[in-house]
Amino acid sequence: MVGRDRRRSSRPTRGFRPGPPPAGSFAARPGPPAGARPGPPPDLPTGADDAASHPAVEAAVRAMDNAAALAPADQIAQYEAAYETLRETLATIDQT
């Protein structure tokens, strides 16, 4: 093709594309250290630390538990009310 304009195209050229490295060419990744692994924290017995509980927080948690039996639209209102109660309670605790 004589006289054809050979400008560079904005399309990427199809050339050599490297593939994944051959198996075994990398060192093995280190695993977790041997020995005992930490587990979840132990459950605190109910009423174990009355000084750490707050009546408004306990009521909000109970309200959220009870919301599971409600219709979805009513659940939203219940969760929003519990959120407001928790937000206000935590704000007053921070101020003291």
Side-chain angles (χ1 to χ4, degrees):
M1 300 196 153
V2 179
R4 182 172 179 169
D5 190 23
R6 293 189 177 233
R7 291 185 216 163
R8 288 212 158 190
S9 170
S10 62
R11 292 184 308 170
T13 59
R14 294 193 186 261
F16 173 74
R17 295 184 70 179
S25 65
F26 288 107
R29 293 179 63 182
R37 292 182 172 213
D43 289 334
L44 296 175
T46 305
D49 190 4
D50 289 335
S53 65
H54 193 281
V57 173
E58 296 297 325
V61 170
R62 278 193 307 276
M64 288 190 292
D65 285 340
N66 294 336
L70 299 174
D74 296 331
Q75 286 179 355
I76 293 170
Q78 191 76 23
Y79 291 143
E80 288 175 345
Y83 168 77
E84 284 300 315
T85 300
L86 292 171
R87 189 180 63 76
E88 292 169 4
T89 303
L90 292 174
T92 58
I93 291 172
D94 287 342
Q95 293 174 358
T96 59

